[in-house]
Amino acid sequence: MAAVSRMGIFLGLDASALAEVLAAATLATAQAGEAYVCQGDPAHRFYLLVSGRVRLSQVTPEGQQVVMRFIAPGEEFGIVAILGRLPYPVTAEAVEPAVALAWSGEAFNRLILRHPQIGLNGMAMLAERVREFQDRLREAGTQRVERRVANGLLRLARQAGRSVAEGVLIDLPLSRQDLAEMTGTTLFTVSRTLAGWEERGIISSARKRVTLLQPHALVAVAEDLPEG
Amino acid sequence: MAAVSRMGIFLGLDASALAEVLAAATLATAQAGEAYVCQGDPAHRFYLLVSGRVRLSQVTPEGQQVVMRFIAPGEEFGIVAILGRLPYPVTAEAVEPAVALAWSGEAFNRLILRHPQIGLNGMAMLAERVREFQDRLREAGTQRVERRVANGLLRLARQAGRSVAEGVLIDLPLSRQDLAEMTGTTLFTVSRTLAGWEERGIISSARKRVTLLQPHALVAVAEDLPEG
DNA sequence: CGTATTTTTGAAGCGATTCAATGGACGTGG
DNA sequence: CCACGTCCATTGAATCGCTTCAAAAATACG
C-alpha cells in the first residue's frame, strides 16, 4: 500500500481511500513475453504496473509492428477501458516478469466518482502522455534518423536507465528491431547508427543491450549540435 | 448553456453544476491569426472552444513549425494548465474568428474536485487524444508520404468536413505548407501529391482550400489498396 | 554441438528533399 | 477598376539519406 500511495495516479488520497482502491484491485502477473492485453480485444481492464517492464506496440494492417512506448513501474496502461468496451488499440506485453494491479473499467469509473482526486491525477498523467506523443510526432516529422534514434535512446535512459560503472545502462532487453520500431526506421539503419556511435565511444552495445558511455555526447547528437 | 451541456467534457452534469461551471468561466474571443496561448508561456488557462477553429502548432528549436492538430468546437486545449505552471508546449492560434470559454488552472481543478464527472469525462477525452496521436505516430513511422497526406486529409474531413454539391469541402483555410507540417513532409511534395490526385479527379483544390470529390478513392490511397 | 535468433555489412536503387525560378491568386490603395 | 505588392502554389533538376535485399558473422540457447 505504501508503494501504491506513491504512484502518480493515487497521490493525495488518504488511507481509507487507498484501502478502497486496493480492495477493488486484482493482482495480475505476467512472465516475460506474456501479453496483458491484445490489440483488438474488447477493453475491460485498466492496469497499473507495479514491477517489471511492459512494451506497448501496435501492428499495422500490413503486419508491420510499431513500438509505442515502454511502461515503467508506477505507470498505467489500458486506460481505454474506462471509455466503455472499445477495442484496445495496442498490445501490452511484459518484456520481463511483471506485476500489475488491475481494475475493471466499471470499478475504476466508480472509484473516480467517489474520489475526484483520482480523476484529477489521471488527467494530469494523460496530459503528460499527450505531451510526450506530441514531442515524438514533432521529432518524427522534422528530424533525420540519427537524431530520432538518439532521442529514442535518451528517452529510454531517462525512463529505464540504471547507473553502472561505465555509464548508464538501459535496463531492458532492447533489440535493434525494437529501436527501429520506436523511431520509424529499419533495423539496418539502427545497426549502422549504433556502430558509428560505438566507434566514437559514445555508447557500448551488446545483443539486446545498450549502455550510454557519454550521455552528453548523445544529447549533442539529439540536438544536432557540433560534436564536442 | 445548452451548448455547453452537450460538450463532451461536461456530459452528465446537472443544471446546477453546469451553472457553477459557467460562473467560473470567462469568455475569450480571438480574430483570425490571433493566438490564444503561445508556446513557452506559463500555462495558467484552460480553454474550451465554442466556435471557430484553432490550430495547435509547435516550433522546433531550429525554427521549423509542426502542426499538431486543429481544434473543433467542443474540444479543449491548454489542458497543461491544470498540471501547474508548466509552459505551454504548443501555440494555439485561431485560423478564423473564434470564441472560447476559459478557466484558470486552479478554478478548473476545484471544479473537478467538486464534480468528479468532469474528471472522468476529461480522462476519456484525453485518452481519445492519446489514441489519435498513437495512430499518427504509427503512420509517421510506417507510411510513405502519399499515404500520410491522404490520411491527414481524411482526418481533417472527418473533423472539419462540410458536404457540398461536388463532395466534401474541408472547411478550413489550409495551405500546402499546413498540410506538409501536419504530415511531416515539404510543401513541394504536398503540392505534387495533390496535383496528382487532382489529375485523377479524386480532389479539387484551390488556394488554401481542398475539396474531396471521391473520398472513397482517397481512402483507397490511404489504405494502399489497388486503385478502384 | 547444432539451431535459432540477432546483428553486421555491402551494394543498388528510389523516394523525397532541396533549391531556384516561374506562375497565379488575392487584397489594397490609388 | 486597374496596378501593384504579397503571399501561395507549381515545376524542374540535382542530390542525398535511407531503404531494400542478400549474405555472412556473431551470439544465445537447448
Side-chain angles (χ1 to χ4, degrees), chain A residues 138 142-143 147 151 220-225, chain B residues 59-65:
Chain A
R138 173 175 51 74
T142 60
Q143 301 181 354
R147 294 184 62 184
N151 275 308
V221 172
E223 297 182 355
D224 202 22
L225 303 173
Chain B
V59 177
T60 70
E62 290 82 23
Q64 299 170 81
Q65 199 174 107

Side-chain angles (χ1 to χ4, degrees), chain A:
Chain A
M1 173 145 137
V4 171
S5 71
R6 268 183 274 108
M7 288 176 172
I9 198 160
F10 297 131
L11 275 184
L13 292 187
D14 59 34
S16 80
L18 277 176
E20 195 179 322
V21 163
L22 279 179
T26 60
L27 215 55
T29 63
Q31 297 160 13
E34 196 178 334
Y36 273 110
V37 313
C38 283
Q39 180 178 353
D41 286 357
H44 62 281
R45 296 222 290 176
F46 166 82
Y47 295 84
L48 192 62
L49 190 62
V50 177
S51 72
R53 303 273 174 198
V54 169
R55 183 176 64 188
L56 297 191
S57 63
Q58 223 178 28
V59 177
T60 71
E62 289 82 24
Q64 298 171 82
Q65 198 173 108
V66 179
V67 175
M68 283 302 160
R69 81 191 309 273
F70 285 90
I71 298 293
E75 294 184 311
E76 50 65 36
F77 59 96
I79 183 69
V80 89
I82 70 158
L83 306 188
R85 297 273 166 133
L86 297 169
Y88 285 115
V90 298
T91 293
E93 184 185 1
V95 294
E96 50 185 52
V99 178
L101 291 168
W103 293 265
S104 75
E106 296 83 8
F108 206 77
N109 266 284
R110 280 193 298 274
L111 285 173
I112 292 175
L113 292 177
R114 282 179 52 83
H115 304 288
Q117 184 69 41
I118 300 177
L120 191 55
N121 293 342
M123 279 182 80
M125 206 156 184
L126 286 171
E128 175 56 32
R129 190 71 57 95
V130 168
R131 225 171 50 79
E132 180 187 322
F133 277 116
Q134 280 179 347
D135 284 348
R136 288 180 59 185
L137 203 54
R138 173 175 51 74
E139 284 174 18
T142 60
Q143 301 181 354
R144 298 284 159 82
V145 166
E146 189 181 27
R147 294 184 62 184
R148 297 208 304 270
V149 175
N151 275 308
L153 276 184
L154 288 170
R155 230 188 306 274
L156 285 172
R158 241 171 279 133
Q159 213 201 308
R162 216 184 62 201
S163 282
V164 294
E166 319 90 81
V168 179
L169 168 71
I170 293 177
D171 199 10
L172 274 176
L174 181 74
S175 69
R176 305 290 184 270
Q177 178 85 37
D178 287 332
L179 258 174
E181 286 169 356
M182 287 186 67
T183 52
T185 180
T186 63
L187 77 151
F188 308 102
T189 301
V190 168
S191 175
R192 281 182 244 266
T193 304
L194 295 192
W197 291 340
E198 196 149 11
E199 204 165 312
R200 289 165 58 190
I202 296 178
I203 66 164
S204 104
S205 75
R207 183 182 241 233
K208 287 205 175 194
R209 220 140 267 286
V210 177
T211 306
L212 314 189
L213 303 180
Q214 304 175 41
H216 61 283
L218 202 57
V219 170
V221 172
E223 297 182 355
D224 202 22
L225 303 173
E227 51 195 296

